[in-house]
Amino acid sequence: MKSVGLLTAAFCIVALFSLLFPALQGALSIGLFFSLVGTIFDLINAMSWEFTGHIDNLTQDSEMMKDLTTFLALGRITGSIKKAKGPFAFENLELKNVTFKYPNATSSVLNGISFKIEAGKHYSFVGQNGSGKTTIIKLLTGLYGDYGGEILLNNVSLHDYPQDVINSAFSNVFQDFARYSSSVRENIRIGDIHTIDTKNDRELIDILKDINFSFQSMDKGLDTQLGKLQENGIDLPGGQWQKIAIARDIVNSASVRLLMNQLRH
Ligand SMILES: Nc1ncnc2c1ncn2[C@@H]1O[C@H](COP(=O)(O)OP(=O)(O)OP(=O)(O)O)[C@@H](O)[C@H]1O
Ligand SMILES: [Mg+2]
């Protein structure tokens, strides 16, 4: 912005001086001189604002590109898209004296957590905001590898599993689940990209009925566009969006389902 300011000032001075001499020599009337100088100043001013705007956009875009390139460079993306061989036969999961600290944090979030969960049962983690429930879920789904203690999946350390095998064992609905600006059908089918083309509409509708999803205001059924990107897209109330996310979770054949919710009093 500083360089654009200097450049603008330089243009104005050049314009002023090149018109000043004809004006002094009488080739330009004083009135014409002032109106010309005024118009040229306005023009240069408008152009410099536009130019600054472009530079501003360019800077913002390049910052976004930095994030995107870092994200793409993580490499795990290809790992997680790879399909594990067959469904994962979950038996149990055990945390033994697990400790975890976020990088740059001063204190640990988890201090010596131990518990065991077994196939065929329901469990719930209940705790105050910030007590570490989501962190536990992220640890046991292999998103954070740098923990103390042991996490055993079917009695084998989580460190010994490739990420695609861990991914095939768990499916999850996070508190901040994704809301895709796309059709209801696509929003659900993306829950399992490996069977994305084989699930039929009947199956999807049955899942939605099972979880009491309300089809009100959905005159196009599964083709209804959600989100605000499309002109005919509708935005759902939070609870309805959450049901879409749950349906997305149900189409996934993973053996362990992790559902995260925020209780409001
Ligand atoms: N990426 C992160 N970097 C640093 N600290 C984090 C990060 N994510 C969470 N924390 C901190 O770790 C603690 C536990 O967070 P976590 O999200 O696991 O809690 P929670 O029990 O799921 O809370 P809530 O009920 O609000 O969902 C909090 O103090 C939080 O501020
Ligand atoms: Mg949480």
Side-chain angles (χ1 to χ4, degrees):
M1 284 182 79
K2 270 186 197 158
S3 10
V4 174
L6 283 176
L7 211 64
T8 315
F11 270 129
C12 291
I13 290 168
V14 170
L16 187 69
F17 277 102
S18 54
L19 291 174
L20 192 61
F21 290 108
L24 288 176
Q25 285 162 0
L28 272 181
S29 71
I30 294 297
L32 193 57
F33 170 76
F34 278 113
S35 70
L36 271 177
V37 168
T39 313
I40 291 171
F41 278 20
D42 282 350
L43 180 71
I44 292 175
N45 199 13
M47 276 166 57
S48 77
W49 275 113
E50 189 136 320
F51 193 56
T52 318
H54 286 313
I55 292 180
D56 189 30
N57 287 343
L58 203 70
T59 320
Q60 287 191 23
D61 290 349
S62 71
E63 283 304 309
M64 272 179 65
M65 286 303 291
K66 258 193 227 162
D67 284 350
L68 187 66
T69 346
T70 320
F71 177 66
L72 291 176
L74 288 176
R76 179 166 277 173
I77 302 157
T78 47
S80 61
I81 286 174
K82 207 169 74 194
K83 185 171 170 53
K85 293 179 201 78
F88 185 85
F90 176 78
E91 291 163 18
N92 57 53
L93 176 95
E94 188 170 8
L95 268 74
K96 282 186 178 170
N97 205 17
V98 169
T99 52
F100 181 75
K101 188 164 94 66
Y102 280 101
N104 306 325
T106 45
S107 58
S108 303
V109 180
L110 305 174
N111 294 300
I113 298 275
S114 302
F115 63 81
K116 186 170 184 177
I117 65 173
E118 282 164 6
K121 295 188 179 168
H122 293 92
Y123 296 85
S124 65
F125 297 126
V126 184
Q128 293 194 336
N129 298 134
S131 57
K133 303 177 295 292
T134 303
T135 308
I136 292 180
I137 301 298
K138 289 185 174 168
L139 279 172
L140 53 89
T141 49
L143 292 178
Y144 302 144
D146 202 8
Y147 55 85
E150 280 185 287
I151 302 182
L152 306 173
L153 181 59
N154 289 359
N155 306 312
V156 176
S157 168
L158 210 56
H159 291 305
D160 296 338
Y161 286 96
Q163 186 62 37
D164 52 295
V165 174
I166 304 178
N167 290 351
S168 70
F170 300 102
S171 71
N172 47 49
V173 183
F174 280 105
Q175 280 157 263
D176 49 349
F177 53 84
R179 298 160 195 235
Y180 300 109
S181 283
S182 182
S183 68
V184 175
R185 182 187 294 102
E186 285 169 347
N187 256 284
I188 301 174
R189 277 190 175 171
I190 201 160
D192 188 358
I193 52 167
H194 304 296
T195 59
I196 206 157
D197 298 324
T198 58
K199 287 267 180 295
N200 64 39
D201 285 0
R202 191 68 260 151
E203 255 175 290
L204 302 188
I205 288 174
D206 286 347
I207 292 175
L208 288 173
K209 280 186 180 156
D210 274 351
I211 56 173
N212 289 326
F213 180 82
S214 157
F215 279 93
Q216 254 177 11
S217 80
M218 300 229 169
D219 46 352
K220 295 212 180 82
L222 293 176
D223 286 317
T224 309
Q225 292 293 323
L226 300 182
K228 293 171 186 152
L229 280 187
Q230 270 92 1
E231 209 173 311
N232 55 352
I234 60 167
D235 199 18
L236 297 176
Q240 287 279 89
W241 264 120
Q242 198 170 30
K243 284 185 174 171
I244 295 275
I246 292 172
R248 184 184 304 152
D249 182 61
I250 295 174
V251 295
N252 193 299
S253 57
S255 11
V256 186
R257 299 196 187 290
L258 304 163
L259 308 172
M260 280 148 272
N261 200 5
Q262 199 96 55
L263 290 179
R264 292 187 179 86
H265 297 284

